[in-house]
Amino acid sequence: MTNAKKCLSFMLGLCSLVYLADSKGILFPQESETRERKSLDGIWQFRLAPRNDPEMGFRDEWFKKPLQETGETILMPVPSSYNDVTQSKDIRDHVGWAWYDREFWVPKEWMSQRKIYLRFGGVNYHAIVWVNGVKVAEHAGGHLPFVAELVDTANLSSKRVNRLTVAINNTLNQNTIPQGSIFRPTANRYPSGYFTLNYNFDFFNYAGIHRPVYLYTTPTSYIDDITVSTNLQEDGTALVIYNIETIRASAAQFHNDVNFGWIPTVNQDGLSIVVRLEDKTGNIVATGTHGIGYLSVPNATLWWPFSMVEKDEEAGYLYTMVVSLQNLAKVDVDVYRLKIGIRHLGWDNTTFTINGKPFYFRGFGRHEDFDIRGRGIDNVMIVKDHNLIKWTGANSYRTSHYPYSEEIMDLTDELGIVIIDEISAVSIDGFGQELLETHKQQMRELIQRDKNRASVVMWSVANEPQSQKTQAGPYFKEIFELVKSLDSHRPRTIVINKGYQEDKAAEYADIICINRYYAWYSDTGHTEVITASMIEDVNNWIKKFRRPLIIAEYGADTVAGLHSNPQFVFTEEFQLEYLREHFRAFDSLRANTTLIGEMIWNFADFMTGQGITRIVGNRKGIFTRERQPKASAHLLRSRYHYLANELDGYPIPDDLPQPIPIYTPRGNVKHDEM
């Protein structure tokens, strides 16, 4: 075996490239020399299934005719949540089937020598899709994409209008991720047919077609999937290891021969794979001619997080990998371009590093939650949010409590914002076999979607599960083993709110995250207990498990504009004092333990279900739901920028004074502005 083959074999084993031979690729639709894309976003027709007859749409076959012919419809924007678009309480609180449809045209050029696909970025929760009355797809899971190939059975035509119908259902049960249950009271005081959907997670169960819908084409032989990982050699050379899967028109799926480490430059059907890596200016820095291989990039520009480089424009550096499927005449049969960042992750029992440098997470828990739009993607709000994230000096956040849109992830790659990528397993319980299989499937889909993203540095398998239960141990052992088998070059975490003595899941994680709310959900209002309680708690976790640890949540509900002196819960003054006490604990822990991060809950106020403990939603944000800062936003901004300066040498913004460290009566260092 040549040295090159030995190197490739070693790297493939080291990085455990995600290779899902039984799974179709989910590459994001793009236009290229060989591909076309058409957005189906816009204003669709919409109606709810009757509450007292939820199966009417299926029984009466609404999918076989225009939705307007089945009864009264309204207009509904796609993408969006349907809940807050109208003035109807019934629509806002609907549980069950909702129906959408729209018409579309197919260009006549698409009808020959091309494959046509329909792709949904995310529909919550259960979706069934018909084209021209023919069922083409069904998917469960509210935050991950799915694709349908529109073959002859869909009866597509370029000579007449085509119809797309989607039925969605937001009902949750004990085997969905996340979980929920239907409550049907029997007391006479309730109206006939009354029921509610109950769930344990603390955010509104928005429903709808939340993410873009695309119609797109590929050639009949095409690039189906690309898997990339990167590493740094001792001499400074970067390796970009890749695995390219193709679908050939002349055969079923073509599988790369992993046993030999190489596929021939030219396959039996005369098609070959050519790979080139381009820098931001379009210069070619490396080339390859194999389906599995690696590119050697000397003096590579590395992907660094925001604030770990002096100039913001140097963060999030992305190369473009251009993959071509060519015929014998060297003509491109298919071309796909993938943005990649070159960086190396490292972790052990005490630290987490990016490109060999210790990384301290300064960030947020967040939600995809916007006024009126609900969880529907909104490019204005996405850009606004990330401008605010950079303004605060944060370098990271967790996609609590579900995978975020691909458009958001594109932005974090480009801006250098580090992501802990979390699946939708929030507050799960029961731990039965059917739930386990659902959980595994969604983890597979998440990793398949986000495996190539430089900003994604960690997989989170759950948030606040009932991990004190005995069955949680073997359940999460299987989940963690699956994730490692799919991707061993990122650490795995779980977010725990149970005590260190009772938890049965954290032992399987590489890095532990915990949520703690001292002086809020316990000892409410008594900020004097925070510092000592947090220090003792973290020390106990680290002593038992000997892992790096992140505080993934801490926070206090705060009504913007509500004041009290002395401070009182729900006031802005209380939130300030609450944060200061946590900062004292974090500084002590940073100096004396393996604490590697702090993430406040939450970035912005967000909607929840109705309840007496929530004042029109959760108010723990440092920004309002309209993205206006509370007093705490300015305090946290000082904290994060001073940490960026201390740890990474990042310049302090001109409008913040230079910090002067002083000692508090507790013996911990703080800054006088805090």
Side-chain angles (χ1 to χ4, degrees):
M1 182 180 288
T2 66
N3 289 334
K5 288 185 178 180
K6 286 181 180 179
C7 179
L8 177 60
S9 178
F10 170 75
M11 292 305 297
L12 289 173
L14 176 66
C15 295
S16 182
L17 291 173
V18 182
Y19 181 68
L20 304 177
D22 59 346
S23 175
K24 195 169 187 61
I26 200 75
L27 294 174
F28 192 84
Q30 65 176 223
E31 295 181 329
S32 73
E33 300 90 321
T34 61
R35 297 177 175 226
E36 293 185 81
R37 181 181 71 180
K38 180 178 182 177
S39 172
L40 297 183
D41 295 351
I43 309 298
W44 294 37
Q45 296 295 322
F46 175 86
R47 69 168 298 187
L48 300 179
R51 189 177 181 90
N52 61 354
D53 191 2
E55 301 301 316
M56 176 187 288
F58 298 97
R59 187 179 63 252
D60 293 349
E61 297 184 324
W62 290 357
F63 49 85
K64 287 191 174 180
K65 54 189 142 184
L67 200 57
Q68 287 178 301
E69 295 182 9
T70 69
E72 183 179 357
T73 63
I74 63 172
L75 301 178
M76 187 60 62
V78 171
S80 76
S81 300
Y82 63 68
N83 307 82
D84 294 339
V85 174
T86 76
Q87 282 65 53
S88 169
K89 177 183 176 182
D90 290 340
I91 292 178
R92 183 195 67 194
D93 298 336
H94 178 71
V95 176
W97 291 104
W99 291 74
Y100 293 76
D101 85 347
R102 66 156 293 161
E103 295 178 340
F104 65 95
W105 285 88
V106 176
K108 62 181 180 180
E109 293 83 5
W110 286 21
M111 300 302 293
S112 62
Q113 300 301 310
R114 301 194 192 192
K115 288 179 174 287
I116 302 175
Y117 293 92
L118 177 65
R119 187 187 197 268
F120 290 79
V123 180
N124 194 34
Y125 174 81
H126 187 177
I128 306 176
V129 181
W130 297 264
V131 173
N132 295 328
V134 177
K135 181 178 174 181
V136 297
E138 185 168 358
H139 183 263
H143 305 91
L144 291 164
F146 60 96
V147 173
E149 181 180 354
L150 303 187
V151 294
D152 293 339
T153 54
N155 196 26
L156 283 181
S157 175
S158 62
K159 297 180 180 180
R160 57 168 169 78
V161 72
N162 298 274
R163 188 178 64 257
L164 171 59
T165 307
V166 183
I168 73 169
N169 195 320
N170 62 345
T171 305
L172 305 173
N173 59 46
Q174 290 306 297
N175 294 310
T176 59
I177 298 288
Q179 294 172 309
S181 61
I182 295 294
F183 171 65
R184 299 181 186 273
T186 58
N188 292 332
R189 66 186 180 88
Y190 289 98
S192 175
Y194 176 89
F195 68 90
T196 59
L197 175 65
N198 295 342
Y199 46 83
N200 291 326
F201 50 87
D202 188 30
F203 53 93
F204 194 85
N205 186 39
Y206 278 114
I209 302 175
H210 285 154
R211 293 172 185 169
V213 184
Y214 286 110
L215 199 66
Y216 69 97
T217 68
T218 70
T220 53
S221 292
Y222 64 96
I223 298 155
D224 183 54
D225 195 21
I226 303 171
T227 303
V228 174
S229 65
T230 62
N231 211 330
L232 305 179
Q233 303 300 289
E234 293 181 358
D235 63 359
T237 300
L239 294 183
V240 178
I241 306 102
Y242 62 85
N243 178 3
I244 299 161
E245 297 177 56
T246 60
I247 301 291
R248 308 297 178 103
S250 58
Q253 182 169 358
F254 174 75
H255 295 287
N256 297 333
D257 191 346
V258 179
N259 293 328
F260 291 99
W262 301 94
I263 32 178
T265 301
V266 179
N267 195 43
Q268 293 178 353
D269 57 10
L271 298 179
S272 61
I273 294 173
V274 177
V275 181
R276 68 179 186 269
L277 193 67
E278 298 178 352
D279 64 17
K280 277 191 173 182
T281 64
N283 293 321
I284 299 174
V285 298
T287 60
T289 55
H290 301 284
I292 292 181
Y294 69 93
L295 306 176
S296 180
V297 187
N299 303 313
T301 302
L302 302 183
W303 187 93
W304 285 101
F306 165 69
S307 81
M308 290 188 79
V309 286
E310 186 171 342
K311 297 180 180 179
D312 290 353
E313 59 268 23
E314 296 174 352
Y317 189 94
L318 298 175
Y319 288 87
T320 300
M321 175 178 279
V322 184
V323 180
S324 300
L325 186 63
Q326 297 183 344
N327 61 20
L328 289 174
K330 303 300 182 184
V331 175
D332 289 332
V333 173
D334 192 24
V335 179
Y336 193 90
R337 290 172 173 84
L338 181 70
K339 297 286 188 180
I340 66 167
I342 296 176
R343 55 102 176 99
H344 176 69
L345 306 179
W347 66 94
D348 55 26
N349 289 340
T350 60
T351 59
F352 172 79
T353 63
I354 298 179
N355 301 331
K357 184 174 181 178
F359 182 81
Y360 187 80
F361 292 81
R362 312 182 306 273
F364 300 97
R366 295 188 62 223
H367 271 296
E368 282 185 312
D369 176 276
F370 312 117
D371 198 20
I372 300 175
R373 305 154 185 81
R375 197 150 292 124
I377 186 172
D378 184 308
N379 288 328
V380 174
M381 296 305 298
I382 289 173
V383 173
K384 177 65 173 179
D385 281 358
H386 288 81
N387 284 339
L388 289 174
I389 288 168
K390 292 182 65 176
W391 178 79
T392 65
N395 61 9
S396 56
Y397 62 83
R398 175 169 58 112
T399 66
S400 44
H401 298 298
Y402 38 80
Y404 288 4
S405 74
E406 290 158 288
E407 291 76 10
I408 288 178
M409 306 302 283
D410 286 343
L411 204 56
T412 60
D413 280 345
E414 184 176 351
L415 296 177
I417 304 297
V418 170
I419 296 298
I420 299 175
D421 210 352
E422 186 163 277
I423 199 61
S424 309
V426 53
S427 304
I428 61 172
D429 194 0
F431 306 112
Q433 188 61 36
E434 188 173 347
L435 179 70
L436 178 63
E437 294 306 316
T438 302
H439 198 160
K440 285 182 175 181
Q441 179 60 25
Q442 291 198 22
M443 284 303 313
R444 291 186 189 100
E445 292 181 23
L446 173 61
I447 294 173
Q448 177 74 5
R449 192 195 75 166
D450 289 347
K451 61 187 176 181
N452 296 324
R453 296 195 174 277
S455 60
V456 174
V457 303
M458 201 179 308
W459 304 114
S460 174
V461 304
N463 177 78
E464 297 186 354
Q466 297 299 310
S467 59
Q468 81 282 8
K469 296 188 175 181
T470 301
Q471 57 267 42
Y475 179 97
F476 281 106
K477 183 175 186 290
E478 282 200 46
I479 294 293
F480 278 112
E481 288 174 349
L482 171 70
V483 174
K484 187 172 184 178
S485 72
L486 297 175
D487 181 6
S488 65
H489 67 280
R490 289 180 178 90
R492 306 154 299 162
T493 191
I494 187 170
V495 185
I496 300 295
N497 68 343
K498 306 303 177 186
Y500 76 99
Q501 293 177 314
E502 59 180 345
D503 173 77
K504 305 293 191 301
E507 65 177 290
Y508 304 109
D510 300 305
I511 293 171
I512 295 172
C513 293
I514 62 173
N515 296 341
R516 290 297 183 266
Y517 288 91
Y518 294 113
W520 189 252
Y521 292 125
S522 63
D523 301 304
T524 305
H526 292 278
T527 56
E528 66 271 20
V529 309
I530 292 172
T531 301
S533 298
M534 183 67 77
I535 290 173
E536 180 182 28
D537 197 349
V538 171
N539 276 322
N540 285 333
W541 277 90
I542 291 174
K543 183 178 179 180
K544 178 177 180 179
F545 293 103
R546 301 191 180 279
R547 312 277 166 78
L549 185 142
I550 299 169
I551 303 298
E553 291 183 23
Y554 68 99
D557 282 79
T558 304
V559 178
L562 186 62
H563 298 283
S564 175
N565 187 7
Q567 49 87 357
F568 203 83
V569 291
F570 290 102
T571 66
E572 294 201 48
E573 287 78 11
F574 180 84
Q575 193 178 34
L576 290 174
E577 181 62 19
Y578 184 90
L579 264 61
R580 290 189 184 100
E581 291 297 328
H582 280 87
F583 296 163
R584 292 186 179 100
F586 297 156
D587 284 339
S588 175
L589 291 164
R590 285 195 305 118
N592 299 294
T593 71
T594 58
L595 181 75
I596 63 166
E598 55 193 73
M599 292 184 163
I600 192 170
W601 187 261
N602 191 284
F603 170 75
D605 296 346
F606 58 92
M607 188 52 63
T608 65
Q610 299 184 68
I612 59 173
T613 62
R614 294 288 176 255
I615 309 169
V616 194
N618 189 304
R619 300 300 185 101
K620 291 187 178 68
I622 66 163
F623 296 100
T624 67
R625 202 177 186 213
E626 296 73 31
R627 277 37 179 193
Q628 296 304 313
K630 302 175 189 177
S632 57
H634 299 280
L635 176 62
L636 190 72
R637 180 175 181 242
S638 296
R639 166 78 178 175
Y640 281 176
H641 274 290
Y642 294 148
L643 284 175
N645 179 258
E646 173 193 337
L647 299 175
D648 302 322
Y650 186 73
I652 296 173
D654 292 339
D655 63 332
L656 287 178
Q658 296 293 321
I660 303 173
I662 61 173
Y663 287 86
T664 72
R666 295 178 180 82
N668 298 308
V669 176
K670 74 167 187 176
H671 295 108
D672 58 348
E673 290 80 19
M674 300 182 187

Short mmCIF file of all heavy atoms in Angstrom, two decimals, residues 426-459:
data_model
loop_
_atom_site.label_atom_id
_atom_site.label_comp_id
_atom_site.label_asym_id
_atom_site.label_seq_id
_atom_site.Cartn_x
_atom_site.Cartn_y
_atom_site.Cartn_z
N VAL A 426 -36.64 16.85 23.72
CA VAL A 426 -36.70 17.72 24.89
C VAL A 426 -37.68 17.14 25.91
O VAL A 426 -38.80 16.76 25.57
CB VAL A 426 -37.10 19.16 24.49
CG1 VAL A 426 -38.36 19.17 23.66
CG2 VAL A 426 -37.25 20.06 25.69
N SER A 427 -37.19 17.00 27.14
CA SER A 427 -38.00 16.53 28.28
C SER A 427 -38.58 15.14 28.05
O SER A 427 -39.68 14.82 28.54
CB SER A 427 -39.14 17.52 28.56
OG SER A 427 -38.65 18.82 28.79
N ILE A 428 -37.86 14.28 27.34
CA ILE A 428 -38.43 12.97 27.01
C ILE A 428 -38.45 12.04 28.22
O ILE A 428 -37.64 12.15 29.13
CB ILE A 428 -37.71 12.30 25.83
CG1 ILE A 428 -36.22 12.07 26.14
CG2 ILE A 428 -37.86 13.12 24.57
CD1 ILE A 428 -35.51 11.24 25.08
N ASP A 429 -39.39 11.10 28.17
CA ASP A 429 -39.63 10.17 29.27
C ASP A 429 -40.13 8.87 28.66
O ASP A 429 -40.46 8.80 27.47
CB ASP A 429 -40.68 10.77 30.22
CG ASP A 429 -40.74 10.05 31.56
OD1 ASP A 429 -39.97 9.10 31.77
OD2 ASP A 429 -41.58 10.44 32.39
N GLY A 430 -40.18 7.82 29.47
CA GLY A 430 -40.70 6.53 29.00
C GLY A 430 -39.64 5.62 28.45
O GLY A 430 -39.55 4.45 28.84
N PHE A 431 -38.84 6.10 27.51
CA PHE A 431 -37.66 5.39 27.01
C PHE A 431 -37.97 4.00 26.46
O PHE A 431 -37.21 3.05 26.65
CB PHE A 431 -36.58 5.31 28.10
CG PHE A 431 -36.23 6.65 28.68
CD1 PHE A 431 -36.56 6.97 29.99
CD2 PHE A 431 -35.59 7.61 27.91
CE1 PHE A 431 -36.25 8.23 30.53
CE2 PHE A 431 -35.29 8.86 28.43
CZ PHE A 431 -35.61 9.17 29.75
N GLY A 432 -39.10 3.88 25.76
CA GLY A 432 -39.46 2.62 25.14
C GLY A 432 -38.76 2.42 23.81
O GLY A 432 -38.11 3.32 23.27
N GLN A 433 -38.95 1.24 23.22
CA GLN A 433 -38.25 0.89 21.99
C GLN A 433 -38.71 1.74 20.81
O GLN A 433 -37.89 2.15 19.99
CB GLN A 433 -38.48 -0.60 21.67
CG GLN A 433 -37.64 -1.12 20.52
CD GLN A 433 -36.14 -1.01 20.77
OE1 GLN A 433 -35.67 -1.17 21.89
NE2 GLN A 433 -35.38 -0.73 19.71
N GLU A 434 -40.01 2.02 20.73
CA GLU A 434 -40.50 2.82 19.60
C GLU A 434 -39.96 4.25 19.68
O GLU A 434 -39.56 4.84 18.66
CB GLU A 434 -42.03 2.83 19.57
CG GLU A 434 -42.59 3.49 18.32
CD GLU A 434 -44.10 3.36 18.21
OE1 GLU A 434 -44.69 2.55 18.96
OE2 GLU A 434 -44.68 4.07 17.36
N LEU A 435 -39.93 4.81 20.88
CA LEU A 435 -39.33 6.13 21.05
C LEU A 435 -37.86 6.11 20.68
O LEU A 435 -37.35 7.03 20.01
CB LEU A 435 -39.50 6.61 22.50
CG LEU A 435 -38.89 7.98 22.81
CD1 LEU A 435 -39.68 9.09 22.13
CD2 LEU A 435 -38.83 8.21 24.32
N LEU A 436 -37.15 5.07 21.08
CA LEU A 436 -35.73 4.94 20.77
C LEU A 436 -35.50 4.94 19.26
O LEU A 436 -34.59 5.61 18.75
CB LEU A 436 -35.18 3.66 21.40
CG LEU A 436 -33.70 3.35 21.12
CD1 LEU A 436 -32.79 4.43 21.69
CD2 LEU A 436 -33.32 1.98 21.69
N GLU A 437 -36.32 4.20 18.52
CA GLU A 437 -36.14 4.15 17.07
C GLU A 437 -36.43 5.51 16.43
O GLU A 437 -35.74 5.91 15.48
CB GLU A 437 -37.04 3.06 16.47
CG GLU A 437 -36.66 1.65 16.89
CD GLU A 437 -35.19 1.34 16.61
OE1 GLU A 437 -34.71 1.69 15.51
OE2 GLU A 437 -34.53 0.76 17.49
N THR A 438 -37.45 6.21 16.93
CA THR A 438 -37.72 7.56 16.43
C THR A 438 -36.55 8.49 16.70
O THR A 438 -36.13 9.27 15.84
CB THR A 438 -39.00 8.12 17.08
OG1 THR A 438 -40.09 7.27 16.81
CG2 THR A 438 -39.30 9.52 16.56
N HIS A 439 -36.02 8.41 17.91
CA HIS A 439 -34.89 9.22 18.33
C HIS A 439 -33.67 8.94 17.43
O HIS A 439 -33.01 9.87 16.94
CB HIS A 439 -34.56 8.92 19.79
CG HIS A 439 -33.74 9.96 20.47
ND1 HIS A 439 -33.69 10.07 21.84
CD2 HIS A 439 -32.90 10.92 20.00
CE1 HIS A 439 -32.87 11.05 22.17
NE2 HIS A 439 -32.38 11.57 21.07
N LYS A 440 -33.40 7.69 17.20
CA LYS A 440 -32.26 7.32 16.35
C LYS A 440 -32.44 7.84 14.93
O LYS A 440 -31.48 8.35 14.32
CB LYS A 440 -32.10 5.80 16.33
CG LYS A 440 -31.51 5.20 17.60
CD LYS A 440 -31.36 3.69 17.44
CE LYS A 440 -30.66 3.05 18.62
NZ LYS A 440 -30.51 1.59 18.43
N GLN A 441 -33.64 7.69 14.39
CA GLN A 441 -33.88 8.14 13.02
C GLN A 441 -33.66 9.65 12.89
O GLN A 441 -33.05 10.12 11.92
CB GLN A 441 -35.28 7.76 12.57
CG GLN A 441 -35.63 8.22 11.15
CD GLN A 441 -34.72 7.64 10.10
OE1 GLN A 441 -34.11 6.58 10.28
NE2 GLN A 441 -34.59 8.35 8.98
N GLN A 442 -34.15 10.40 13.87
CA GLN A 442 -33.96 11.85 13.78
C GLN A 442 -32.50 12.23 13.97
O GLN A 442 -32.03 13.20 13.35
CB GLN A 442 -34.87 12.55 14.78
CG GLN A 442 -36.34 12.45 14.41
CD GLN A 442 -37.21 13.47 15.11
OE1 GLN A 442 -36.75 14.51 15.57
NE2 GLN A 442 -38.50 13.18 15.19
N MET A 443 -31.77 11.50 14.79
CA MET A 443 -30.33 11.77 14.92
C MET A 443 -29.63 11.49 13.59
O MET A 443 -28.75 12.25 13.16
CB MET A 443 -29.71 10.92 16.02
CG MET A 443 -29.99 11.36 17.44
SD MET A 443 -29.52 13.06 17.87
CE MET A 443 -27.86 13.20 17.24
N ARG A 444 -30.00 10.41 12.92
CA ARG A 444 -29.40 10.11 11.61
C ARG A 444 -29.67 11.24 10.62
O ARG A 444 -28.77 11.67 9.89
CB ARG A 444 -29.96 8.79 11.06
CG ARG A 444 -29.54 7.54 11.82
CD ARG A 444 -30.03 6.29 11.08
NE ARG A 444 -29.83 5.09 11.89
CZ ARG A 444 -30.77 4.50 12.60
NH1 ARG A 444 -32.01 4.99 12.60
NH2 ARG A 444 -30.51 3.42 13.32
N GLU A 445 -30.91 11.70 10.60
CA GLU A 445 -31.27 12.76 9.66
C GLU A 445 -30.54 14.06 9.98
O GLU A 445 -30.12 14.78 9.07
CB GLU A 445 -32.78 12.98 9.68
CG GLU A 445 -33.58 11.82 9.10
CD GLU A 445 -35.07 12.08 9.10
OE1 GLU A 445 -35.47 13.27 9.13
OE2 GLU A 445 -35.86 11.11 9.08
N LEU A 446 -30.40 14.38 11.26
CA LEU A 446 -29.69 15.60 11.64
C LEU A 446 -28.23 15.54 11.24
O LEU A 446 -27.69 16.49 10.66
CB LEU A 446 -29.81 15.82 13.16
CG LEU A 446 -28.97 16.97 13.73
CD1 LEU A 446 -29.37 18.30 13.11
CD2 LEU A 446 -29.07 17.01 15.24
N ILE A 447 -27.57 14.43 11.55
CA ILE A 447 -26.15 14.31 11.22
C ILE A 447 -25.95 14.29 9.71
O ILE A 447 -25.01 14.89 9.18
CB ILE A 447 -25.54 13.08 11.90
CG1 ILE A 447 -25.55 13.28 13.43
CG2 ILE A 447 -24.12 12.81 11.41
CD1 ILE A 447 -25.14 12.06 14.22
N GLN A 448 -26.85 13.61 9.00
CA GLN A 448 -26.77 13.61 7.54
C GLN A 448 -26.87 15.02 6.98
O GLN A 448 -26.16 15.39 6.05
CB GLN A 448 -27.87 12.72 6.97
CG GLN A 448 -27.94 12.70 5.46
CD GLN A 448 -26.83 11.89 4.81
OE1 GLN A 448 -26.05 11.25 5.51
NE2 GLN A 448 -26.76 11.91 3.50
N ARG A 449 -27.74 15.84 7.57
CA ARG A 449 -27.93 17.20 7.06
C ARG A 449 -26.75 18.11 7.38
O ARG A 449 -26.31 18.90 6.54
CB ARG A 449 -29.22 17.80 7.65
CG ARG A 449 -29.66 19.07 6.99
CD ARG A 449 -30.69 19.83 7.80
NE ARG A 449 -30.10 20.51 8.96
CZ ARG A 449 -30.72 21.45 9.67
NH1 ARG A 449 -31.97 21.80 9.37
NH2 ARG A 449 -30.13 22.02 10.70
N ASP A 450 -26.23 18.03 8.61
CA ASP A 450 -25.27 19.04 9.10
C ASP A 450 -23.85 18.54 9.24
O ASP A 450 -22.99 19.23 9.77
CB ASP A 450 -25.74 19.57 10.45
CG ASP A 450 -26.98 20.45 10.34
OD1 ASP A 450 -27.32 20.83 9.21
OD2 ASP A 450 -27.61 20.74 11.37
N LYS A 451 -23.55 17.35 8.73
CA LYS A 451 -22.24 16.73 8.95
C LYS A 451 -21.09 17.53 8.38
O LYS A 451 -19.95 17.43 8.85
CB LYS A 451 -22.24 15.32 8.36
CG LYS A 451 -22.49 15.31 6.85
CD LYS A 451 -22.65 13.91 6.30
CE LYS A 451 -23.01 13.94 4.82
NZ LYS A 451 -23.18 12.58 4.26
N ASN A 452 -21.32 18.34 7.34
CA ASN A 452 -20.22 19.06 6.68
C ASN A 452 -20.03 20.48 7.19
O ASN A 452 -19.19 21.21 6.66
CB ASN A 452 -20.49 19.11 5.16
CG ASN A 452 -20.47 17.73 4.53
OD1 ASN A 452 -19.70 16.86 4.91
ND2 ASN A 452 -21.35 17.52 3.56
N ARG A 453 -20.76 20.88 8.19
CA ARG A 453 -20.73 22.27 8.63
C ARG A 453 -19.59 22.53 9.61
O ARG A 453 -19.49 21.89 10.65
CB ARG A 453 -22.07 22.65 9.25
CG ARG A 453 -23.20 22.60 8.23
CD ARG A 453 -24.43 23.31 8.73
NE ARG A 453 -25.46 23.38 7.69
CZ ARG A 453 -25.50 24.30 6.73
NH1 ARG A 453 -24.56 25.23 6.68
NH2 ARG A 453 -26.46 24.29 5.83
N ALA A 454 -18.78 23.53 9.27
CA ALA A 454 -17.66 23.88 10.15
C ALA A 454 -18.15 24.44 11.47
O ALA A 454 -17.51 24.25 12.52
CB ALA A 454 -16.76 24.90 9.45
N SER A 455 -19.28 25.15 11.46
CA SER A 455 -19.75 25.78 12.70
C SER A 455 -20.28 24.76 13.70
O SER A 455 -20.32 25.04 14.90
CB SER A 455 -20.84 26.80 12.39
OG SER A 455 -21.95 26.20 11.75
N VAL A 456 -20.69 23.59 13.23
CA VAL A 456 -21.23 22.56 14.13
C VAL A 456 -20.06 21.82 14.75
O VAL A 456 -19.32 21.11 14.08
CB VAL A 456 -22.14 21.59 13.38
CG1 VAL A 456 -22.57 20.44 14.29
CG2 VAL A 456 -23.37 22.31 12.83
N VAL A 457 -19.89 21.99 16.07
CA VAL A 457 -18.75 21.38 16.75
C VAL A 457 -19.17 20.30 17.74
O VAL A 457 -18.31 19.64 18.32
CB VAL A 457 -17.91 22.45 17.48
CG1 VAL A 457 -17.44 23.53 16.50
CG2 VAL A 457 -18.67 23.06 18.65
N MET A 458 -20.46 20.11 17.95
CA MET A 458 -20.91 19.16 18.97
C MET A 458 -22.35 18.76 18.67
O MET A 458 -23.14 19.56 18.19
CB MET A 458 -20.83 19.82 20.36
CG MET A 458 -20.79 18.86 21.53
SD MET A 458 -20.66 19.75 23.13
CE MET A 458 -19.27 20.84 22.84
N TRP A 459 -22.66 17.49 18.93
CA TRP A 459 -24.03 17.00 18.81
C TRP A 459 -24.66 16.88 20.19
O TRP A 459 -24.08 16.26 21.09
CB TRP A 459 -24.07 15.63 18.13
CG TRP A 459 -23.41 15.55 16.79
CD1 TRP A 459 -22.29 14.84 16.46
CD2 TRP A 459 -23.84 16.18 15.57
NE1 TRP A 459 -21.98 14.99 15.12
CE2 TRP A 459 -22.92 15.81 14.55
CE3 TRP A 459 -24.90 17.01 15.24
CZ2 TRP A 459 -23.05 16.26 13.24
CZ3 TRP A 459 -25.02 17.45 13.93
CH2 TRP A 459 -24.11 17.07 12.95
#
